[in-house]
């Protein structure tokens, strides 16, 4: 297979660059024949992925984190006819902070083990989500979750998972809320909203299970919407959001989880929105979601 490795050296605050020699050695030891391209600026991976597809590469390996994965899937799908099969295989070398997608689909976080998955070449069709004109593999959201992301992006004095937790506390203290109209194949909602999280995978932000019953292979999006009228109510949600199973926030009053193939959201005032952890719009009021079942052939164990 003709393989392109796309490295984001900035992932995990430049730790990706530091760990690349280990990943490179594992690739060469496992016999993977690859061509390497390194991004040099934010969002460049979108263009680099699109160029790799145009050059005839049939397998793209993402060396980075969840944001890098999001950029590359949007580059790889540039010009894709959604009525036709998506023919590019994707693999991941987990060099990010949280590596949520890898955890959600079972890709090992150990670099040598992750490279062995790539070398074996076994694929499985994974669902692909779309929000407006942005594709995503793990999750997307409006409301509180991306509002927290805007806080996290401004924190430079912490790294890793603690940065996500501090940002969550800061966001909750602001207590943002919206009035919303939600429509999906199976129901609708009209009323106040603190958060709406749309999951292809269950975990995001390293410790948060915002859509705990999401399955990236079931042909459905899993979304959670909820409203808590006070800061205390939101703080009560926080520890529950970190539980993957019993006791998750979806069991709390005012928090609801649904499965769907399409979702339409209208907010009464602008909210930031993200796909795969990257803010794509800070002032959006309307979002349209859809799912492409088993669209992406992922290199998996």
């Amino acid at each position: 297979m003709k393989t392109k490795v796309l490295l984001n050296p900035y992932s995990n605050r430049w730790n990706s660059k530091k760990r690349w020699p280990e990943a490179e050695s594992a690739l060469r030891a496992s016999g993977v024949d690859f061509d390497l391209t390194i991004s040099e600026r934010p969002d460049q991976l979108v263009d680099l992925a699109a160029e790799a597809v145009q050059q005839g590469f049939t397998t793209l390996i993402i060396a980075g984190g969840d944001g890098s994965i999001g950029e590359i899937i949007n580059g790889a799908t540039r010009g894709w006819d959604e009525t036709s099969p998506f023919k590019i295989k994707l693999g991941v070398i987990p060099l990010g902070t949280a590596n949520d997608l890898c955890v959600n689909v079972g890709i090992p976080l150990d670099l040598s083990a992750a490279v062995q998955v790539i070398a074996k070449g076994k694929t499985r069709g994974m669902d692909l989500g779309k929000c407006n004109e942005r594709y995503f593999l793990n999750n997307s959201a409006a409301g509180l979750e991306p509002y927290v992301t805007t806080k996290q992006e401004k924190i430079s004095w912490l790294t890793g998972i603690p940065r996500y937790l501090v940002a969550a506390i800061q966001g909750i203290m602001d207590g943002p809320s919206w009035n919303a109209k939600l429509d999906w194949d199976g129901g609708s909602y009209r009323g106040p909203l603190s958060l709406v999280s749309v999951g292809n995978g269950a975990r995001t932000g390293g410790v948060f299970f915002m859509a705990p019953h999401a399955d990236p292979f079931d042909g459905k999006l899993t979304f959670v919407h909820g409203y808590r009228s006070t800061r205390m109510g939101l703080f009560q949600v926080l520890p529950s959001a970190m539980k993957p199973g019993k006791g998750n926030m979806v069991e709390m009053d005012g928090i609801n989880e649904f499965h769907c193939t399409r979702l339409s959201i209208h907010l009464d005032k602008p909210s930031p929105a993200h796909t795969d952890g990257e803010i794509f719009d800070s002032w959006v009021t309307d979002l349209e979601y859809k799912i492409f079942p088993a669209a992406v052939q992922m290199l998996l164990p």
Side-chain angles (χ1 to χ4, degrees):
M1 58 184 177
K2 196 172 183 182
T3 302
K4 168 71 78 172
V5 175
L6 296 166
L7 169 65
N8 181 1
Y10 180 73
S11 288
N12 196 7
R13 300 294 175 95
W14 293 106
N15 279 325
S16 178
K17 181 179 181 180
K18 295 176 183 176
R19 298 188 69 196
W20 168 246
E22 178 187 350
E24 182 179 30
S25 295
L27 284 167
R28 299 198 184 284
S30 64
V32 176
D33 184 17
F34 68 95
D35 182 79
L36 173 67
T37 299
I38 303 173
S39 64
E40 298 177 348
R41 56 177 170 79
D43 299 323
Q44 189 185 16
L45 286 172
V46 178
D47 294 331
L48 295 177
E51 291 170 6
V53 173
Q54 291 172 356
Q55 292 165 359
F57 287 94
T58 56
T59 301
L60 302 183
I61 305 301
I62 304 148
D66 294 299
S68 304
I69 295 170
E71 287 186 37
I72 288 171
I73 193 63
N74 278 282
T77 52
R78 185 179 290 172
W80 172 47
D81 178 358
E82 294 176 351
T83 64
S84 301
F86 180 62
K87 298 180 180 180
I88 305 300
K89 298 177 183 178
L90 293 181
V92 184
I93 300 174
L95 295 174
T97 302
N99 299 304
D100 290 310
L101 180 71
C102 290
V103 172
N104 287 330
V105 299
I107 294 174
L109 298 186
D110 176 81
L111 297 188
S112 294
V115 166
Q116 284 301 310
V117 170
I118 293 167
K120 289 177 181 178
K122 179 183 176 182
T123 63
R124 182 180 181 188
M126 178 179 170
D127 301 339
L128 176 66
K130 188 177 185 181
C131 174
N132 293 354
E133 297 305 312
R134 295 277 299 185
Y135 295 97
F136 63 95
L137 279 172
N138 195 48
N139 86 312
S140 175
L144 180 61
E145 186 180 327
Y147 186 83
V148 166
T149 300
T150 65
K151 297 286 187 179
Q152 181 261 132
E153 290 177 343
K154 297 176 182 177
I155 297 173
S156 59
W157 46 276
L158 271 177
T159 60
I161 303 304
R163 184 159 49 105
Y164 291 109
L165 293 173
V166 170
I169 293 170
Q170 291 179 349
I172 288 171
M173 287 300 296
D174 289 348
S177 64
W178 296 260
N179 281 308
K181 297 179 182 178
L182 276 62
D183 293 283
W184 63 95
D185 48 337
S188 63
Y189 169 78
R190 305 288 187 271
L193 185 80
S194 299
L195 62 90
V196 56
S197 187
V198 183
N200 193 32
R203 198 185 86 171
T204 184
V207 293
F208 300 110
F209 294 85
M210 300 301 295
H213 298 104
D215 180 349
F217 305 102
D218 67 355
K220 298 287 183 68
L221 291 169
T222 300
F223 78 96
V224 172
H225 73 84
Y227 174 68
R228 307 292 277 180
S229 61
T230 66
R231 292 186 183 89
M232 182 56 69
L234 287 172
F235 273 117
Q236 289 172 342
V237 169
L238 185 60
S240 297
M242 292 186 278
K243 296 179 180 179
K246 185 174 176 57
N248 183 270
M249 65 180 183
V250 296
E251 299 176 8
M252 302 176 71
D253 291 340
I255 311 292
N256 304 278
E257 183 182 42
F258 299 95
H259 304 283
C260 66
T261 60
R262 61 170 182 82
L263 170 67
S264 175
I265 300 172
H266 174 73
L267 304 174
D268 68 330
K269 59 185 180 183
S271 163
H274 81 72
T275 53
D276 288 331
E278 298 295 313
I279 301 294
F280 70 86
D281 197 332
S282 297
W283 298 94
V284 64
T285 56
D286 292 276
L287 302 103
E288 295 288 338
Y289 286 92
K290 62 192 299 186
I291 189 79
F292 298 91
V296 178
Q297 292 299 311
M298 292 291 297
L299 291 162
L300 297 176

